[in-house]
Each structure stands twice: as C-alpha cells, then as structure tokens.
Amino acid sequence: MVVPSPTSMIRTKKTKAVGIPTIDLSLERSQLSELVVKACEEYGFFKVVNHSVPKEVISRLDEEGIEFFSKNSSEKRQAGTSTPFGYGCKNIGPNGDKGELEYLLLHSNPISISERSKTIAKDHPIKFSCIVNDYIKAVKDLTCEILELAAEGLWVPDKSSLSKIIKDEHSDSLLRINHYPPVKKLGNDNWDPSKIQNSNNNNIGFGEHSDPQILTILRSNNVGGLQISTHHGLWIPVPPDPSEFYVMVGDALQVLTNGRFVSVRHRVLTNTTKPRMSMMYFAAPPLNWLISPLSKMVTAHSPCLYRPFTWAQYKQAAYALRLGDTRLDQFKVQKQEDSNDSHSL
Ligand SMILES: C=C1C[C@]23C[C@@]1(O)CC[C@H]2[C@@]12CC[C@H](O)[C@@](C)(C(=O)O1)[C@H]2[C@@H]3C(=O)O
Ligand SMILES: O=C(O)CCC(=O)C(=O)O
Ligand SMILES: [Fe+2]
C-alpha cells in the first residue's frame, strides 16, 4: 500500500494532508506495480522499505564516506577535482552553481572506479573499489526491479523496456556521495557583510533542481535537509532514514513515459548542528541511447510530447545550463499553433 508516512505529513492552507508515499517491496507484485505508478504520477518520489540491498553493503560505503570526508582539505583535493569525476567542494557543475557541500562523484563503470580509487583511497584502493562496486550492483538491481514494476503498472508489453536501458553494459550511471557540514546561522553578534548579499541562500546545501537521469536511488545518514516540491509547488521535508531508500523520477523517465511521470524537483537545506551524508545512484542510459516516449505511452489522447534525442545530447544540454533550469523544454515537440505562427512570420 502507498502509505503517507506520518512524520512527513504536512497540511496545506486548505488542511489537505500531503505525505510521502512508502512502498513495501514485500507486497504482492500486481499491487506493487500499481503503487509504483501511482507514486511516480503523484509525486515522482517515494520511499521503499523491505528492499534487497544488504545492510553490510550500505554500512561499508557509509564508513568509506565518513573516512574520506574526515580528511583535511589538502588530502581530499588529492583525490582529483571533479571534472566531472572526483572530489568537489562547494562548486556544483560547470556554470557557477554553489552549495554548502563537498562530494565525491564517480562513474559506475568498474574501470573508472578502479582508477579513481587509487587517489580517493590511496592506502586501500582495491577494498574501496570493491565496496563501491558492491553498492552499485545492489542499487542497480533495486533500480531494475522498480523499473520493471513501473513498466508492468503502465501495461507496457515488454516489461524490460525500461530496465534494459540501465542493464546495458555502457550505461552512463553515476554514484555521488554528498557531505554537508553543519552551517551556523548568522546571529546579530556574528555580522558578516559578505554573507548578507547571499542571505537568501545561507541555508541552501544543494539548490533546487530535477535530476536529468531515469531514476535516482537515494539514501542518507540520520540527518535531514532533503525537501521535495509537490506538483503544486509546496516544499515537503523528507524524513531521513538510514536503512531505507528514496526513489526519484528523473527527466529521462518523464520523457520515456511521455510526461505521465514528472521528474521531481528537490533541494537540500543545511543543518545547523549535524553533518548530513547522502549517497545517490543516478541510473542513466548509455550515451548513444535514443530517448523517446515508449510507443505504448503515445496515443491519440496523449500525443508525443518530446522529440527523440540521445542521452549524450541531453547531458550536453544539462551541462550548458544552470542547476535549477528546466532542461526538458528545449526537447518538447512544438504545438501545431506554435509552428503555424512561425510559418506566418
Ligand atoms: C549544474 C549542473 C550540475 C549537474 C550538471 C548541471 O549542469 C545540471 C544538472 C546537475 C546534476 C544534478 C543531478 C546529479 O547530482 C548530477 C551529477 C547530474 O547528473 O546532473 C548533477 C550535475 C553535476 O553536479 O555535475
Ligand atoms: O544530498 C542529497 O540529499 C540530494 C542531492 C542531490 O539532489 C543530488 O546530488 O543531485
Ligand atoms: Fe538531485
């Protein structure tokens, strides 16, 4: 059943309760597929419990993250600056976006992981790459299970039409570990004019955005800060749960479902006392994969909303824009009236 978790229930002005759906993966399959579709349609976001990712696989990556981020900054910089893979601090992407965080960004390809491990975990590179590979394998299986349930719930004839994109050996999936140190709020006795200019941003750990990929599988330590935006533009805080996963619909899945699922906008606010650590698996197609709505999702009532593009083209568009920009607009099919207008000019 999709159960809005009580801790995440908040009320709007009309006192309608909104809560984050929680899906118990031990439920019966036909029920599960309906729940996945409903949650993806309503929020583009849900929590999964009773998943198959072993506890040790999670705790080992946690320990590596804690060990890495506790190093001093010159040691961390030796891991290699993120261009885009490696260690990054405060800079998000190439276009001047800033956040109150540091992170490790890795490609999911085992060869790339093995190369990066030599600088990230100099004294135990093989152990580090095994831990990262094990985590990626387990969350990739979870992603594929969710995508197969989604395809079933959408009555797509080939149940693997979404999961096979991720299973492809050239998939461009990524792993990111974010670390948000506590940020003290400015008091009157701590007046810093240079900070006043950015006073609106003071508590933004990671600015509002949607993820470009198909699906994001997120978990964090016990420190909150993540918020998702509802279709009505309301921000809902996501209660942290170190042993479970949150699932986010990304832009590519919005296109594959012809807009039936909408990618979730989200952001992270910093905590004033405790550090947040989160790890995200971004499930993506191979670079040359042509992304267009699944044929089952295009009907006379739901005409095709997006023109086909490769994942490489989409990434290029994403990296040319700012974090919070809506990147899908440039891939929308022009409406008939719009194209008539342009002819008459
Ligand atoms: C500003 C940017 C950072 C980002 C690439 C982008 O140009 C726009 C999307 C951003 C995002 C969000 C989800 C993931 O964290 C990420 C790795 C991704 O694939 O797209 C980041 C990119 C990044 O930090 O490099
Ligand atoms: O750190 C988090 O909880 C979310 C970060 C995020 O949205 C991202 O890295 O794309
Ligand atoms: Fe994100």
Side-chain angles (χ1 to χ4, degrees):
M1 198 175 45
V2 175
V3 189
S5 76
T7 39
S8 63
M9 296 263 267
I10 56 170
R11 284 178 186 275
T12 62
K13 274 191 184 145
K14 289 180 187 162
T15 71
K16 187 175 173 277
V18 279
I20 293 162
T22 297
I23 300 184
D24 179 347
L25 288 178
S26 66
L27 291 177
E28 196 252 320
R29 199 160 180 96
S30 63
Q31 204 186 348
L32 273 179
S33 58
E34 270 180 38
L35 296 174
V36 167
V37 167
K38 191 164 184 275
C40 288
E41 285 176 334
E42 288 181 3
Y43 293 88
F45 186 83
F46 57 96
K47 178 177 178 174
V48 287
V49 300
N50 281 320
H51 58 77
S52 51
V53 181
K55 280 200 177 72
E56 318 74 64
V57 168
I58 297 174
S59 60
R60 282 188 205 127
L61 187 61
D62 246 353
E63 284 158 22
E64 289 297 329
I66 293 167
E67 182 180 334
F68 178 80
F69 291 115
S70 65
K71 291 179 180 177
N72 67 41
S73 64
S74 92
E75 283 175 309
K76 285 187 276 200
R77 282 179 209 287
Q78 283 168 30
T81 48
S82 74
T83 48
F85 304 122
Y87 172 72
C89 184
K90 298 205 173 182
N91 291 313
I92 303 174
N95 300 318
D97 288 288
K98 303 271 179 211
E100 290 294 341
L101 84 161
E102 52 179 350
Y103 58 86
L104 280 172
L105 188 54
L106 297 168
H107 197 278
S108 63
N109 175 322
I111 298 170
S112 169
I113 292 170
S114 151
E115 268 312 300
R116 283 285 156 196
S117 300
K118 291 178 194 161
T119 52
I120 294 172
K122 270 188 181 155
D123 53 348
H124 59 291
I126 296 174
K127 181 181 169 208
F128 182 83
S129 48
C130 288
I131 289 173
V132 171
N133 286 328
D134 287 351
Y135 186 87
I136 289 177
K137 161 127 194 13
V139 288
K140 180 179 178 177
D141 289 349
L142 174 61
T143 310
C144 290
E145 190 186 343
I146 293 166
L147 289 175
E148 278 159 27
L149 287 166
E152 278 173 41
L154 292 169
W155 295 94
V156 174
D158 175 6
K159 303 294 169 254
S160 67
S161 33
L162 295 170
S163 59
K164 72 179 179 204
I165 314 178
I166 308 303
K167 283 186 182 158
D168 189 291
E169 61 165 325
H170 299 295
S171 142
D172 187 41
S173 301
L174 310 177
L175 180 74
R176 175 175 202 141
I177 310 181
N178 287 340
H179 176 248
Y180 302 86
V183 176
K184 292 266 172 295
K185 283 223 170 73
L186 286 176
N188 282 345
D189 51 345
N190 193 11
W191 192 74
D192 177 351
S194 68
K195 295 248 170 84
I196 295 301
Q197 231 183 334
N198 297 322
S199 58
N200 292 340
N201 283 346
N202 265 347
N203 54 357
I204 296 287
F206 203 115
E208 173 182 351
H209 67 285
S210 63
D211 292 344
Q213 291 83 1
I214 294 179
L215 219 55
T216 301
I217 308 290
L218 174 148
R219 78 159 281 279
S220 74
N221 66 359
N222 215 2
V223 178
L226 177 66
Q227 298 188 332
I228 58 158
S229 171
T230 65
H231 297 331
H232 305 102
L234 189 77
W235 286 106
I236 308 185
V238 176
D241 185 341
S243 48
E244 308 296 357
F245 289 92
Y246 285 103
V247 179
M248 300 196 206
V249 170
D251 300 340
L253 189 54
Q254 177 169 334
V255 174
L256 289 161
T257 59
N258 200 28
R260 179 134 166 217
F261 297 173
V262 177
S263 58
V264 62
R265 292 186 73 80
H266 53 284
R267 67 183 182 187
V268 179
L269 303 185
T270 51
N271 190 288
T272 51
T273 52
K274 290 171 280 177
R276 170 177 169 89
M277 193 171 80
S278 56
M279 37 192 74
M280 278 69 51
Y281 171 69
F282 301 104
L287 286 173
N288 61 1
W289 196 280
L290 199 62
I291 303 172
S292 64
L294 299 172
S295 51
K296 170 80 187 159
M297 306 308 297
V298 180
T299 64
H301 291 293
S302 313
C304 186
L305 293 179
Y306 304 96
R307 61 180 170 84
F309 53 86
T310 63
W311 173 243
Q313 286 171 320
Y314 195 61
K315 267 186 92 170
Q316 196 181 12
Y319 276 92
L321 293 172
R322 299 296 296 266
L323 180 63
D325 289 338
T326 313
R327 303 159 215 122
L328 272 180
D329 288 352
Q330 44 187 310
F331 296 93
K332 278 189 177 152
V333 169
Q334 291 240 315
K335 285 201 203 102
Q336 198 57 49
E337 313 90 78
D338 299 349
S339 46
N340 287 346
D341 284 356
S342 59
H343 286 308
S344 61
L345 285 175

